[in-house]
Amino acid sequence: MAAASIEDSEEFRIFLDELGEMVELTEANLVELEKSPGDPGLISEVFRAMHTIKGGAATLGLEDGVKVTHAMETVLDEVRSGSRHLDSSMVNLLFSVLDWLKLWREALSTGLSRPSPVSLLEAIGAFSPSKAAGPTGNSLSGTGGSETRLPPPLEEAIENALAQGKTPAVLKVKFRREAPFLSVRAFQVITYADEIADVLGSIPSTEEIERDAVGEELSVYFTPAEKGEAVVRAVSSVTDVTLASVEPVDQSRAQEVDETSPAPEELEPPAHGTAGEPPVQAEPTTATGVPGGRSAGDSGSVADGGREFQGQSEEAPEDTGERGTGNRGGSKQAEAVAPAQHAPLVRKTDLGKTVRVDVSLLDFLMDTVGELVIQRTRLTQIASKLQAADETAATGQDIGTLAAHLQRISQELQEGIMRARLLPLKNIFAKFPRLIRDLSVKCGKQIRFEMSGEDTELDRTVIEAIDDPLIHILRNAVDHGIETPEERRRKGKPPGGVIRLSAWHQENHVLIQVEDDGAGVDVEKVKESAVKKGLLSSEDVSKIDEKQALELIFLPGFSTAEKPTEVSGRGVGMDVVRENLERVNGTVEVRTRRGQGTTVTMRLPLTLAIMRALLVLAGGWIYAVPTSSVEEVVDFSGDDLQTIQGKPTIVVRGKVFPLISLQGVLEGAMWNVGKSCQYALLTRNGKSLMALAVDDLLGEEEIVVKEMGRLLSRVRGVAGATILADGDPAVILDVNYLV
């Protein structure tokens, strides 16, 4: 198989990475497209993504991927040409194609058997495009003077572009006469051009290229003409391309297309390729590989903002505004319909703007910088000692100056590597619109899903830890939170509910919040369920307040559902949420208002590689406690101690806290608070506060987290290790698991 011969190549690995990103972006765009089925920008971007995947698959000889993406591309081409309306059944089919592509990518990356495309292609066959009409008398010509009769769909696309004030151009490519795989080269040319400009169509068409009906020449029509030079540079490096040039398309018919369009002389002339100028040309030498100079920066996405999704079968009004590119609908229709109030967010790939780096390299760089920080601190200490003696004061001063300069440089280097470890939350947020859409359909509910703060960045380790918790919380919001349309109407609410997912920075933390306007949590039902499941006694439940009752939902096995469903109700979820968050020193809080909705807020540290920690002394050893786990530090004497049922406690502002000895915990006698203890750290252990007694406080500083061996990493209450300024190691404690 062709795949077996290239699976170890760099091109294959790059294709898999880009395939994953393309599928993820397309999934988000399809969710938006279902709400605004007439939006040309969304249709164009989904078509562009499938076209890019097809080109990459063709280059690598992955025929099954080419067939599936080509079939999807064909359906989308009918939609963007206006000959077919996008309905819910077609959207469901397109989602099925994406699901197949996910399985296909997983099989390619693992070497397992690839999924068969036969049944999927048969399903797509039901949406096969109608036969194109024969050539008409219309024609568009280039500057060369010779008329080229164009297929009606391509001619219509060019006319629509002219009606919108755009400047179409044609890329003319010649291939080496005896070159093999001309269809693959043609796909590469179209793909590279489409990453820089908006490709309107080609001669021969993609369908003809798919059938290997390719000759020595290829014409690719695109907008805007200003991108001509960049397009030529990109396609010139394609193997077997001997000539690439760009010519403008005649704009004299713009008046005929739309009488309300500005006259040609009123249009702002493009920077390159206008009539009267020589065409842009390139005479490349024999080139191999992919173009190094091409950039996807020209296809940046629209301004960021919250976006919505209506997860309901009710059809959204068609959006025929002139947003985005590649509008294939009639311009008269665009005039007749007012722009929709909701402007969909078209998600575009940023391939070409980023460099992929193995995370192990980032970890290595962070460890190296950590060592540099330690040596810098030791150098500062040596300088201080030298300056204290008269005979070495001058030398100490010089070393101190050098240490200060080294501190500034190492600090900047440390911050730079830290930024490289950060990832935007959109890496996991992107899949949630599809999740909400599928769940709302399954549960028979109308839900508008809104997201904001997708560009908020977190350390990659933290992002990996919150993926499952967010899924659990969102599933609960759909199944338990939002009511059915009938229930909402009875309560005087609109039939459609709202779920908002937002994220923002707050000091050295990131807050992620899921809010819904559903039924809220029935606290009394929570208490009854806890008793019924044997988690608490009736007497204990009667003593807890609302806030404490809400904490019960985080107990393993807890659920208020009377019977399990496909979505939830099996008692697995919220305990996993808290457990995963505590592993990264995060917390979760639930607030609810009966009949009005529920808000779940997660508080997470910005990074786990470097953190602020409080250094404490216990039993002659130094320990580091993350400041995110410490709510307050109090000093106490033996007189402040009280005992309840024989166990030590401490009273802070009238509130009683159990007092646990840090040294005692590590020695197996946590209630053994010695006379040497002078301070208590008020920390949170799961759902309750406790006081952790220590001998002394050594200060607060920034520490570099070092991973420990497999054996020590299993020790309860140990989160890692660090190297102190004097070169000695110290254990980092996880107070959530100390007791």
Side-chain angles (χ1 to χ4, degrees):
M1 293 275 308
S5 63
I6 50 86
E7 61 186 2
D8 294 327
S9 67
E10 182 67 19
E11 291 80 5
F12 184 73
R13 290 192 292 269
I14 292 175
F15 172 71
L16 290 183
D17 288 340
E18 294 185 350
L19 173 61
E21 182 175 340
M22 287 287 185
V23 170
E24 181 180 282
L25 292 174
T26 304
E27 192 169 67
N29 282 329
L30 274 181
V31 172
E32 285 289 311
L33 189 59
E34 187 173 39
K35 182 178 179 182
S36 303
D39 187 88
L42 288 168
I43 296 172
S44 178
E45 192 59 31
V46 173
F47 182 89
R48 182 197 301 269
M50 291 302 100
H51 194 63
T52 302
I53 294 173
K54 183 175 74 172
T59 302
L60 296 172
L62 303 172
E63 296 183 4
D64 47 356
V66 171
K67 291 178 180 178
V68 170
T69 50
H70 174 68
M72 182 174 183
E73 188 183 55
T74 302
V75 173
L76 288 167
D77 192 51
E78 273 215 324
V79 175
R80 68 175 188 168
S81 68
S83 60
R84 181 186 293 277
H85 179 69
L86 188 73
D87 55 21
S88 59
S89 60
M90 189 182 297
V91 170
N92 290 333
L93 178 65
L94 297 179
F95 275 124
S96 298
V97 172
L98 291 183
D99 292 337
W100 185 90
L101 286 173
K102 290 178 184 178
L103 295 175
W104 184 64
R105 179 183 180 277
E106 180 67 20
L108 289 173
S109 61
T110 58
L112 299 176
S113 177
R114 307 208 293 259
S116 172
V118 175
S119 60
L120 182 61
L121 291 173
E122 290 176 353
I124 298 175
F127 294 89
S128 58
S130 58
K131 301 297 182 181
T136 63
N138 297 333
S139 64
L140 293 173
S141 62
T143 55
S146 60
E147 289 194 351
T148 302
R149 192 171 301 277
L150 302 179
L154 177 57
E155 182 176 3
E156 183 181 2
I158 295 173
E159 289 177 344
N160 287 332
L162 290 169
Q164 297 173 29
K166 298 178 182 178
T167 53
V170 56
L171 168 70
K172 295 188 175 181
V173 177
K174 288 187 177 181
F175 299 104
R176 187 165 54 89
R177 177 170 300 180
E178 64 278 11
F181 308 116
L182 281 181
S183 60
V184 173
R185 304 308 176 207
F187 272 132
Q188 286 183 294
V189 167
I190 295 174
T191 299
Y192 293 166
D194 205 28
E195 290 183 358
I196 296 173
D198 181 26
V199 171
L200 304 175
S202 65
I203 299 177
S205 67
T206 53
E207 289 79 8
E208 292 170 322
I209 296 173
E210 175 68 22
R211 298 194 301 269
D212 286 330
V214 186
E216 300 173 22
E217 298 183 359
L218 171 68
S219 297
V220 182
Y221 292 80
F222 66 91
T223 64
E226 295 94 314
K227 301 289 181 66
E229 289 185 355
V231 171
V232 167
R233 284 196 301 270
V235 304
S236 295
S237 59
V238 174
T239 304
D240 297 323
V241 170
T242 61
L243 178 66
S245 63
V246 169
E247 300 177 5
V249 172
D250 185 10
Q251 302 182 34
S252 62
R253 297 194 59 209
Q255 288 274 34
E256 300 177 22
V257 178
D258 190 347
E259 296 178 359
T260 63
S261 303
E265 59 269 20
E266 295 175 354
L267 298 175
E268 182 178 350
H272 307 288
T274 54
E277 296 182 5
V280 180
Q281 293 189 0
E283 291 281 358
T285 57
T286 303
T288 59
V290 296
R294 62 191 177 95
S295 168
D298 297 324
S299 60
S301 62
V302 297
D304 188 22
R307 71 176 189 277
E308 302 175 351
F309 160 67
Q310 184 72 37
Q312 169 64 15
S313 59
E314 292 180 0
E315 192 170 295
E318 183 174 357
D319 185 355
T320 55
E322 296 185 0
R323 291 186 299 275
T325 57
N327 182 10
R328 305 301 189 268
S331 57
K332 296 290 186 181
Q333 184 183 13
E335 290 178 8
V337 182
Q341 292 182 354
H342 167 71
L345 174 61
V346 182
R347 301 176 67 95
K348 297 193 176 184
T349 177
D350 58 357
L351 297 178
K353 294 182 181 179
T354 58
V355 177
R356 290 181 173 87
V357 179
D358 195 297
V359 293
S360 61
L361 175 59
L362 293 178
D363 292 339
F364 167 76
L365 292 175
M366 179 55 65
D367 289 340
T368 305
V369 168
E371 295 296 331
L372 181 61
V373 170
I374 294 169
Q375 300 306 320
R376 175 196 72 194
T377 305
R378 296 188 66 182
L379 186 61
T380 302
Q381 292 176 343
I382 293 172
S384 299
K385 291 180 180 179
L386 291 174
Q387 291 177 31
D390 294 339
E391 62 272 16
T392 57
T395 303
Q397 182 65 33
D398 292 341
I399 296 178
T401 302
L402 177 62
H405 183 62
L406 180 62
Q407 180 175 2
R408 180 180 61 82
I409 295 175
S410 60
Q411 181 69 25
E412 292 176 353
L413 181 60
Q414 176 181 312
E415 292 175 356
I417 296 176
M418 282 297 306
R419 286 195 297 270
R421 287 174 58 93
L422 299 179
L423 294 174
L425 283 170
K426 65 182 178 183
N427 286 343
I428 60 172
F429 276 23
K431 64 184 177 185
F432 293 144
R434 168 76 185 278
L435 173 71
I436 298 297
R437 172 200 179 269
D438 292 347
L439 290 176
S440 62
V441 172
K442 185 177 293 185
C443 297
K445 298 178 180 180
Q446 299 180 25
I447 298 176
R448 187 173 77 250
F449 184 49
E450 302 174 357
M451 294 198 307
S452 62
E454 297 169 272
D455 292 329
T456 304
E457 294 182 321
L458 267 176
D459 188 280
R460 64 173 184 84
T461 307
V462 181
I463 285 184
E464 291 171 359
I466 65 174
D467 191 13
D468 284 344
L470 271 176
I471 292 176
H472 285 306
I473 293 171
L474 289 171
R475 290 169 70 94
N476 280 344
V478 174
D479 197 28
H480 295 303
I482 303 298
E483 310 96 327
T484 63
E486 295 75 16
E487 291 175 319
R488 293 180 65 87
R489 288 190 183 96
R490 287 197 300 268
K491 296 177 180 179
K493 293 182 175 182
V498 179
I499 297 177
R500 297 183 182 89
L501 173 62
S502 55
W504 67 94
H505 283 286
Q506 188 178 86
E507 297 178 349
N508 292 325
H509 290 79
V510 168
L511 271 65
I512 301 178
Q513 191 172 87
V514 176
E515 181 182 6
D516 67 69
D517 67 345
V521 178
D522 188 336
V523 176
E524 294 304 318
K525 189 175 181 180
V526 168
K527 294 180 180 179
E528 293 174 4
S529 180
V531 174
K532 184 182 300 183
K533 294 181 179 293
L535 300 174
L536 285 178
S537 66
S538 301
E539 183 180 354
D540 291 336
V541 164
S542 64
K543 297 177 182 178
I544 62 177
D545 57 20
E546 179 176 314
K547 185 175 181 180
Q548 293 171 324
L550 289 175
E551 291 288 338
L552 296 175
I553 67 176
F554 294 103
L555 293 176
F558 181 85
S559 175
T560 57
E562 296 180 0
K563 61 179 181 178
T565 66
E566 293 183 52
V567 178
S568 61
R570 300 185 183 273
V572 179
M574 294 307 289
D575 60 319
V576 175
V577 169
R578 170 160 281 171
E579 181 179 349
N580 283 16
L581 294 180
E582 288 177 349
R583 287 175 183 169
V584 293
N585 296 319
T587 61
V588 59
E589 179 187 17
V590 177
R591 290 182 290 110
T592 188
R593 297 182 65 183
R594 181 74 183 278
Q596 298 185 33
T598 302
T599 301
V600 181
T601 304
M602 295 184 292
R603 184 180 180 87
L604 302 158
L606 189 61
T607 179
L608 294 181
I610 292 181
M611 65 173 64
R612 299 293 298 179
L614 186 64
L615 300 182
V616 300
L617 186 67
W621 294 94
I622 298 176
Y623 300 94
V625 181
T627 55
S628 59
S629 301
V630 180
E631 299 199 358
E632 188 178 350
V633 178
V634 296
D635 56 349
F636 68 93
S637 63
D639 297 336
D640 296 326
L641 292 180
Q642 300 180 13
T643 51
I644 298 179
Q645 296 181 349
K647 296 178 180 178
T649 60
I650 185 174
V651 180
V652 180
R653 291 185 296 275
K655 195 169 185 179
V656 179
F657 295 89
L659 184 62
I660 297 170
S661 168
L662 175 56
Q663 180 182 356
V665 168
L666 301 174
E667 294 177 352
M670 65 180 182
W671 301 110
N672 186 16
V673 179
K675 295 182 179 180
S676 60
C677 295
Q678 303 180 57
Y679 299 93
L681 312 182
L682 300 187
T683 64
R684 182 172 291 277
N685 178 24
K687 62 180 181 295
S688 60
L689 284 170
M690 71 175 184
L692 193 63
V694 298
D695 296 344
D696 199 3
L697 302 178
L698 303 181
E700 180 183 339
E701 64 180 53
E702 201 170 63
I703 61 173
V704 178
V705 180
K706 303 285 188 179
E707 290 189 4
M708 306 181 71
R710 179 177 298 180
L711 182 60
L712 290 178
S713 64
R714 296 176 179 175
V715 178
R716 184 176 179 86
V718 174
T722 188
I723 304 298
L724 302 178
D726 58 3
D728 291 335
V731 172
I732 303 172
L733 299 177
D734 185 351
V735 297
N736 293 306
Y737 291 94
L738 267 179
V739 180

